[in-house]
């Protein structure tokens, strides 16, 4: 390691005094002007990680659904998964180190993680459309170069596209070609094969879809991909970033949180619409009925639709493949009940955060996971994939072989590395077409229980500790007993509290048989949190 070069370059990316950042589920995220030193140092870390695992590592410059003036960075591990938790710790140490300690901390990481400095390093870089992203990705390149790493800069890509490229590269092309063309070709080919089966009748108009691209990267990449789509796909892009600010009053997060349509998209009754988030790794669907009432179709309903489809196919193929759905405590109780009781598919609940869902889904032959916010995908075990591809080729029974072929195309269409709005959208569109479902029929599979999300400011969120996938509070003493007593007052109700991962607030979720009851329960639980967990400011008002 050239300590002079490190000193010289590090001085060009100085750390603001007194700034401490933490690498969380979403990597680092804050105001763009505070991130220059972090980007440089994540370039350094990516080189170390690449040498440690002897594989290509990804770095994505994005702050997803945050406001345009923010930015962020996350590292991608060799198979397109999130950075290993033990390295999140190193990322935090490196980002917060004083300049004079950089060399020492790098040496410590190399010792702890058994990094062989002699190995080559290779890093893939991608960025979103924020005004600050280009300059910040240049800082990443400085960090990679100082430690002698090789890099490939993909420029503007969606987050899932970068995950995909990293996986392709490290599987020596088995997962696909590590280029944007490779991504477009693989997905559009699988999609085209799937919808060949559709009996086109009078339902032609059903294939129109309006997409709110959150004024982000999704619009750019969808327009690049359009020439690859079959002519049956009629997508109309809104909030394409030419006029308005990224994520401003639009995007999947806005629609999910505010339960209303985005600005800049004009909805007619019963039209199918969807929203991506700023870096295109989340998707939610929605429509307005003839009375003008807004209906949101969130990640839970997306997981349900995909599960119904896969369960039917697996039954036709006649293999004993184990399928499960993975959710968090935020999943609507109606979805859990429907999947377990009607579909008879096991549901597993895990802690909030994509990495927990992804990890659990890997335990099954077919693992479907979605967060209610619309981030999710389907994972197929190596054994299941091999079996399905073999049946699609060799199975003598026509029905079984055809079902296996459909499954094979679903495997190729879904981005198994991470939730991907483009890929998820194509999977959903194919399923709706194949099953001849309208958006209203999809929505009517089950009715969501009314629910309410609240947050209470507390002096220190760490006073709340949870268990049972965050569904029960262990501390402070007496809080869970209080919640249990409140829940008993209402029908079909449940409630839980959990500390926020990012700020000193406690998040509260409540659901019940009516909106009025869900609101009342959420309010009563928030008062209990305020009094028992050190609330700040005035008590919560109903």
């Amino acid at each position: 390691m050239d300590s002079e070069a490190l000193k010289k370059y590090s001085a060009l990316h100085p750390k603001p005094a007194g700034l401490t950042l933490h690498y969380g589920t979403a990597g680092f995220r804050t105001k763009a002007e505070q991130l220059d030193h972090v980007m440089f140092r994540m370039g350094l870390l990516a080189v170390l990680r690449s040498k440690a695992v002897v594989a290509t590592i990804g770095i994505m410059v994005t702050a997803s659904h945050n406001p345009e003036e923010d930015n962020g960075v996350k590292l991608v591990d060799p198979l397109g998964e999130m950075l290993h938790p033990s390295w999140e710790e190193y990322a935090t140490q490196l980002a917060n180190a004083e300049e004079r300690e950089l060399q020492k901390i790098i040496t410590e990481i190399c010792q702890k993680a058994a990094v062989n400095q002699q190995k080559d390093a290779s890093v893939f870089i991608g960025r979103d459309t924020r005004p600050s992203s280009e300059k910040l990705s240049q800082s990443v390149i400085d960090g990679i170069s100082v430690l002698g790493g090789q890099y490939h800069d993909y420029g503007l890509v969606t987050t899932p596209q970068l995950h995909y490229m990293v996986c392709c590269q490290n599987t020596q092309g088995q997962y696909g070609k590590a280029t944007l063309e490779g991504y477009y070709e693989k997905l559009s080919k699988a999609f085209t094969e799937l919808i060949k089966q559709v009996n086109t009748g009078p339902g032609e108009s059903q294939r129109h879809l309006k997409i709110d691209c959150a004024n982000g990267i999704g619009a750019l990449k969808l327009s690049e991909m359009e020439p690859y789509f079959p002519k049956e796909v009629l997508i109309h892009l809104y909030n394409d970033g030419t006029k308005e600010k990224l994520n401003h009053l639009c995007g999947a997060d806005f629609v999910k949180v505010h339960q209303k349509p985005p600005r800049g998209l004009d909805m007619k009754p019963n039209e199918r619409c969807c929203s991506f988030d700023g870096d295109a790794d989340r998707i939610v669907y929605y429509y307005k009925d003839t009375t003008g009432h807004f209906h949101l179709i969130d990640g839970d309903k997306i997981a349900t639709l995909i599960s119904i489809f896969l369960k039917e196919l697996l039954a036709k193929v006649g293999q004993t493949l184990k399928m499960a759905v993975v959710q968090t405590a935020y999943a609507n109780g109606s979805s859990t009940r429907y999947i377990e009781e009607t579909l008879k598919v096991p549901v597993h609940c895990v802690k909030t955060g994509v990495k927990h869902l992804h990890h659990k889904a890997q335990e099954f032959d077919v693992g479907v996971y979605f967060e209610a916010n619309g981030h999710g995908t389907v994972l197929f075990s190596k054994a299941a994939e091999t079996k399905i591809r073999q049946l699609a080729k060799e199975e003598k029974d026509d029905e079984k072989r055809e079902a296996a072929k459909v499954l094979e195309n679903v495997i190729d269409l879904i981005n198994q590395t991470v939730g991907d709005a483009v890929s998820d959208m194509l999977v959903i569109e194919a399923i709706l077409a194949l099953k001849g479902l309208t958006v209203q029929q999809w929505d009517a599979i089950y009715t969501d229980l009314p629910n309410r999300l609240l947050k209470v400011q507390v002096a220190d969120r760490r006073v709340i500790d949870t268990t049972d996938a965050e569904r029960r509070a262990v501390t402070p003493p007496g809080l869970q007993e209080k919640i249990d007593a409140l829940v008993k007052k209402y029908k079909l109700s449940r409630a839980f509290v959990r500390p926020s991962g990012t700020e000193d607030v406690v998040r509260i979720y409540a659901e019940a048989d009516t909106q009025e009851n869900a609101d009342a329960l959420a309010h009563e639980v928030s008062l209990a949190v305020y009094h028992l967990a050190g609330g700040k400011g005035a008590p919560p008002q109903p």
Side-chain angles (χ1 to χ4, degrees), residues 25 82 351-359 369 371 375 418-419:
T25 314
M82 297 187 157
K351 276 166 47 173
T352 305
V354 177
K355 58 183 175 194
H356 302 298
L357 290 133
H358 192 90
H359 189 73
Y369 75 82
E371 289 191 292
H375 185 284
V418 71

Side-chain angles (χ1 to χ4, degrees), residues 2-218:
D2 182 345
S3 30
E4 281 317 302
L6 183 67
K7 253 199 202 115
K8 189 182 110 187
Y9 270 93
S10 175
L12 295 174
H13 303 284
K15 177 171 100 72
L19 178 71
T20 310
L21 294 168
H22 186 79
Y23 194 103
T25 314
F28 291 111
R29 261 185 219 175
T30 183
K31 293 273 166 277
E33 61 271 14
Q34 299 183 324
L35 280 167
D36 181 54
H37 71 293
V38 174
M39 297 294 174
F40 170 71
R41 293 167 182 204
M42 289 308 101
L44 302 173
L45 190 73
V47 169
L48 301 181
R49 179 71 180 149
S50 175
K51 290 180 178 207
V53 291
V54 196
T56 296
I57 293 297
I59 287 197
M60 185 69 199
V61 177
T62 180
S64 190
H65 54 273
N66 281 35
E68 186 169 271
E69 44 282 0
D70 289 1
N71 218 321
V73 57
K74 42 191 173 187
L75 272 71
V76 179
D77 254 358
L79 292 178
E81 68 280 63
M82 297 187 157
L83 181 64
H84 193 276
S86 61
W87 279 72
E88 290 182 3
E89 211 44 54
Y90 302 148
T92 301
Q93 283 171 1
L94 203 54
N96 295 322
E98 293 308 324
E99 248 153 277
R100 55 176 192 282
E101 317 169 312
L102 262 189
Q103 178 95 46
K104 179 168 103 13
I105 288 184
I106 290 173
T107 309
E108 279 173 15
I109 294 172
C110 288
Q111 284 165 347
K112 276 190 206 149
V115 176
N116 180 349
Q117 296 270 29
Q118 276 19 92
K119 294 276 183 207
D120 288 337
S122 144
V123 184
F124 283 0
I125 310 160
R127 64 172 192 273
D128 71 11
T129 53
R130 290 163 198 272
S132 58
S133 291
E134 191 168 1
K135 190 173 167 296
L136 289 173
S137 71
Q138 202 44 61
S139 308
V140 170
I141 291 173
D142 281 356
I144 296 167
S145 307
V146 166
L147 291 186
Q150 298 292 311
Y151 66 87
H152 182 91
D153 183 3
Y154 281 93
L156 293 164
V157 288
T158 69
T159 297
Q161 284 175 334
L162 186 76
H163 284 257
Y164 174 90
M165 314 279 196
V166 171
C167 183
C168 291
Q169 181 69 16
N170 290 316
T171 56
Q172 285 70 51
Q174 266 181 299
Y175 194 65
K177 285 207 284 283
T179 62
L180 276 174
E181 292 69 47
Y183 172 91
Y184 298 143
E185 278 165 7
K186 180 180 172 180
L187 268 64
S188 56
K189 178 172 174 280
F191 180 75
T192 307
E193 285 299 315
L194 275 174
I195 63 163
K196 268 187 190 157
Q197 320 283 326
V198 178
N199 305 319
T200 44
E204 284 300 0
S205 61
Q206 287 300 310
R207 306 271 55 86
H208 285 273
L209 174 67
K210 289 184 169 178
I211 307 170
D212 153 35
C213 299
N215 289 310
I217 185 74

Side-chain angles (χ1 to χ4, degrees), residues 327-432:
Q327 297 183 324
T328 70
Y330 287 112
N332 194 281
S334 292
S335 73
T336 314
R337 199 168 294 129
Y338 179 86
I339 296 166
E340 284 185 330
E341 294 172 14
T342 308
L343 265 191
K344 305 270 189 284
V345 169
V347 175
H348 296 267
C349 185
V350 296
K351 276 166 47 173
T352 305
V354 177
K355 58 183 175 194
H356 302 298
L357 290 133
H358 192 90
H359 189 73
K360 186 71 185 172
Q362 286 172 321
E363 294 176 17
F364 309 98
D365 292 317
V366 182
V368 179
Y369 75 82
F370 269 84
E371 289 191 292
N373 66 26
H375 185 284
T377 186
V378 184
L379 304 184
F380 293 85
S381 70
K382 265 283 150 272
E385 188 174 327
T386 308
K387 188 80 208 153
I388 289 163
R389 292 196 192 278
Q390 183 196 348
L391 290 167
K393 262 215 229 24
E394 300 164 8
E395 175 58 54
K396 298 283 181 281
D397 179 311
D398 287 354
E399 197 193 12
K400 282 186 181 178
R401 191 180 61 252
E402 285 311 309
K405 277 187 185 166
V406 174
L407 277 170
E408 183 173 38
N409 286 314
V410 173
I411 292 173
D412 288 334
L413 184 53
I414 203 100
N415 185 343
Q416 293 188 60
T417 63
V418 71
D420 180 339
V422 175
S423 151
D424 289 340
M425 172 192 88
L426 292 172
V427 169
I428 292 162
E429 289 301 303
I431 296 173
L432 293 176

Side-chain angles (χ1 to χ4, degrees), residues 445-464:
I445 291 171
Y446 62 80
T447 306
D448 275 326
L449 281 169
N451 56 83
R452 178 63 64 209
L453 281 162
L454 292 176
K455 49 188 186 182
V456 177
Q457 286 211 294
V458 290
D460 180 4
R461 64 179 186 264
R462 288 171 303 192
V463 301
I464 294 210

Side-chain angles (χ1 to χ4, degrees), residues 177-327:
K177 285 207 284 283
T179 62
L180 276 174
E181 292 69 47
Y183 172 91
Y184 298 143
E185 278 165 7
K186 180 180 172 180
L187 268 64
S188 56
K189 178 172 174 280
F191 180 75
T192 307
E193 285 299 315
L194 275 174
I195 63 163
K196 268 187 190 157
Q197 320 283 326
V198 178
N199 305 319
T200 44
E204 284 300 0
S205 61
Q206 287 300 310
R207 306 271 55 86
H208 285 273
L209 174 67
K210 289 184 169 178
I211 307 170
D212 153 35
C213 299
N215 289 310
I217 185 74
L220 233 62
K221 298 295 134 180
L222 273 177
S223 3
E224 278 177 17
M225 193 173 182
E226 251 187 288
Y228 294 86
F229 287 144
K231 62 179 188 316
E232 290 84 350
V233 181
L234 300 162
I235 58 173
H236 310 275
L237 308 185
Y238 296 83
N239 296 324
D240 62 1
T242 50
K243 295 189 275 293
E244 290 281 344
K245 274 174 73 165
L246 175 71
N247 295 327
H248 182 58
L249 302 177
C250 63
D253 196 59
F254 173 84
V255 173
K256 167 78 180 150
V257 171
H258 297 279
Q259 306 264 335
K260 63 179 189 191
R263 200 161 98 180
L265 185 148
D266 154 50
M267 290 168 74
K268 297 193 177 63
N270 294 332
E271 276 186 334
R272 223 173 36 256
C273 305
C274 69
S275 284
F276 290 10
D277 72 336
D279 64 339
D281 64 359
R282 288 185 188 185
I283 183 170
V284 294
Y285 271 71
Y286 44 92
Y287 68 99
K288 259 187 183 153
D289 62 27
T290 42
T291 66
H293 183 71
F294 176 80
H295 295 255
L296 175 73
I297 299 180
D298 65 3
D300 299 335
K301 244 177 203 161
I302 293 173
T304 306
L305 177 73
I306 294 173
S307 302
I308 290 171
F309 185 65
L310 291 175
K311 173 129 199 261
E312 286 171 2
L313 287 169
L314 290 169
K316 278 184 190 159
V317 169
Q319 292 296 311
T320 50
L321 294 173
K322 256 181 75 178
M323 174 174 162
V325 174
V326 186
Q327 297 183 324

